[in-house]
Amino acid sequence: MRRSKITGMGSYVPPRVVANIDLEKLMDTSDEWITQRTGIKTRHWASDDVGNSDLGLEASNIAIENAGIKKEDIDMIIYATISGDYDFPGTGCFLQAKMELPDIPIFDIKQQCTGFIYALSMADMYVRQGDFKNILIVGAELQSKALDKSTKGRDISVLFGDGAGAVVVSATDINDEKNDPYIYSTHLHTNGQFADKLCCPAPGTALGPERMSQTLIDKGLHFPVMHGKVVFVHAVKKMTETICECLSANNLKMEDIDMFFFHQANMRINDAVGEKLEIPAEKIFNTVQKYGNTTAATIPLGMHDAMKEGKLKEGMLVATAAFGGGFTWGSAIFRL
Ligand code: UT7
């Protein structure tokens, strides 16, 4: 039976580490507030001369090497980001040029913190359908250039960081459904009624005569807006629900899963999901303490870290879930 499996992982974070005390110099905040409310201690910020696709390229090169293939074997790229190089074209185009891989199809997708799960679902479908053998998925974010770093933006700017993760999804023939490595299933959801609860209005065509103007900048509409408590409550509820949905679709029990990778926005969100689902803490891999929220990069970045630390190994059954702006949420189960 033709299915798809993850054959390589890579990640990259820019070298500059920004600690909570560094943010105290930019805005009225404190290490104590950030640590207590979110668990975040540090995040990485890219330098001025680096763009999103530079981060994506570093992660992609590692993932391709890790998959044991040549870059020429990649036949599609799916690039998940909300902080791209340009407003258009998609950042995947810039990555493709840097990789010198002409003619293959590229998608940019904008599903916020759920971007990686959506990309995984797309890659799985394209591989299963038969025409594609090795699809590169990139989740990359350069959020530090999009934040209001004054006190006005502190509820959001302390949360986000820069980084990239990439995986290669390859075709596989499975004979043993219980033990072979492959993507079991993916589950995707959106509720656009909450679109304005976590968004960045400008540049945009819904706001008047020009998609970008001094008026929009003066109103601060080029910075993200978030209703933190609404997002928090829905994140806990929906990530919990979608993990249950994913297990049930595959007739699996919680204890069958070796490792869980949740989106990393706030340690309190993941603790609440873990508690509700009664998952032992050692099975949940968190990175929010050191990277903050890296949106679409979060899950592949975390998985590669776990692999490097020897906690994520071949043969393991993995469940992953994410929640983000849109609202979007989703989950996946795969054996590595
Ligand atoms: O991936 C999806 C993306 N986002 C999320 O999942 C985030 C979900 N939401 C959250 O994680 C939390 O709601 C936050 C961490 C954003 C906020 O935590 P909270 O416990 O909901 O705090 P709050 O918004 O109720 O703010 C409490 C106080 C406010 O002051 P007053 O009005 O009580 O005087 C804020 O002005 O904390 C203040 N505050 C800050 N103080 C110091 C907000 N941000 C900061 C800050 N430093 N950075």
Side-chain angles (χ1 to χ4, degrees), residues 3-280:
R3 289 299 185 97
S4 77
K5 67 173 176 178
I6 294 177
T7 50
M9 292 180 204
S11 64
Y12 178 76
V13 286
R16 182 179 168 204
V17 178
V18 178
N20 294 343
I21 49 165
D22 299 320
L23 298 179
E24 290 176 9
K25 293 169 205 147
L26 299 173
M27 62 190 86
D28 180 13
T29 190
S30 66
D31 175 40
E32 193 191 3
W33 191 97
I34 302 169
T35 306
Q36 278 178 5
R37 303 278 176 145
T38 71
I40 298 168
K41 296 300 283 182
T42 57
R43 72 286 292 142
H44 290 243
W45 283 1
S47 51
D48 293 352
D49 56 341
V50 166
N52 184 309
S53 63
D54 297 317
L55 306 182
L57 178 65
E58 299 280 353
S60 299
N61 286 340
I62 297 167
I64 290 167
E65 195 188 335
N66 186 236
I69 58 171
K70 296 192 297 293
K71 66 176 182 179
E72 290 75 18
D73 298 325
I74 297 292
D75 44 25
M76 176 187 284
I77 298 174
I78 307 176
Y79 205 105
T81 188
I82 58 165
S83 52
D85 282 359
Y86 282 21
D87 206 28
F88 77 86
T91 306
C93 300
F94 294 99
L95 175 74
Q96 185 199 34
K98 285 175 183 167
M99 290 178 72
E100 297 175 2
L101 273 183
D103 295 346
I104 62 166
I106 313 281
F107 293 99
D108 258 45
I109 63 165
K110 210 180 239 189
Q111 267 60 36
Q112 297 68 244
C113 300
T114 320
F116 177 74
I117 308 263
Y118 269 76
L120 194 67
S121 181
M122 289 169 72
D124 181 42
M125 293 304 158
Y126 270 107
V127 167
R128 280 206 222 182
Q129 166 261 345
D131 287 342
F132 294 88
K133 278 194 186 138
N134 295 297
I135 299 182
L136 174 68
I137 297 177
V138 185
E141 301 290 357
L142 211 162
Q143 303 286 21
S144 62
K145 294 188 189 182
L147 302 170
D148 178 357
K149 299 187 187 99
S150 72
T151 298
K152 198 162 164 251
R154 67 181 179 175
D155 61 325
I156 295 182
S157 54
V158 302
L159 305 176
F160 288 91
D162 303 340
V167 302
V168 176
V169 173
S170 307
T172 183
D173 267 326
I174 60 160
N175 304 307
D176 178 351
E177 279 188 50
K178 285 220 157 72
N179 294 302
D180 282 350
Y182 71 102
I183 296 175
Y184 284 29
S185 67
T186 57
H187 304 266
L188 307 178
H189 302 278
T190 300
N191 186 346
Q193 285 186 342
F194 292 94
D196 64 348
K197 301 296 180 212
L198 177 48
C199 63
C200 186
T205 54
L207 302 168
E210 288 172 300
R211 54 193 295 289
M212 196 59 187
S213 65
Q214 194 55 50
T215 313
L216 295 175
I217 293 173
D218 292 344
K219 287 183 180 166
L221 292 172
H222 58 307
F223 289 129
V225 185
M226 179 172 72
H227 295 252
K229 285 194 195 310
V230 179
V231 178
F232 192 108
V233 170
H234 281 81
V236 174
K237 186 167 185 295
K238 294 302 179 188
M239 285 209 289
T240 306
E241 278 175 16
T242 193
I243 284 288
C244 293
E245 159 187 48
C246 210
L247 289 169
S248 146
N250 294 288
N251 289 319
L252 291 166
K253 294 192 288 295
M254 206 64 73
E255 50 270 31
D256 294 326
I257 303 296
D258 297 307
M259 286 288 280
F260 291 85
F261 291 87
F262 297 125
H263 177 57
Q264 303 284 308
N266 186 325
M267 192 67 93
R268 286 160 50 220
I269 294 178
N270 292 358
D271 287 348
V273 173
E275 246 169 64
K276 271 175 172 256
L277 296 173
E278 296 179 16
I279 301 169

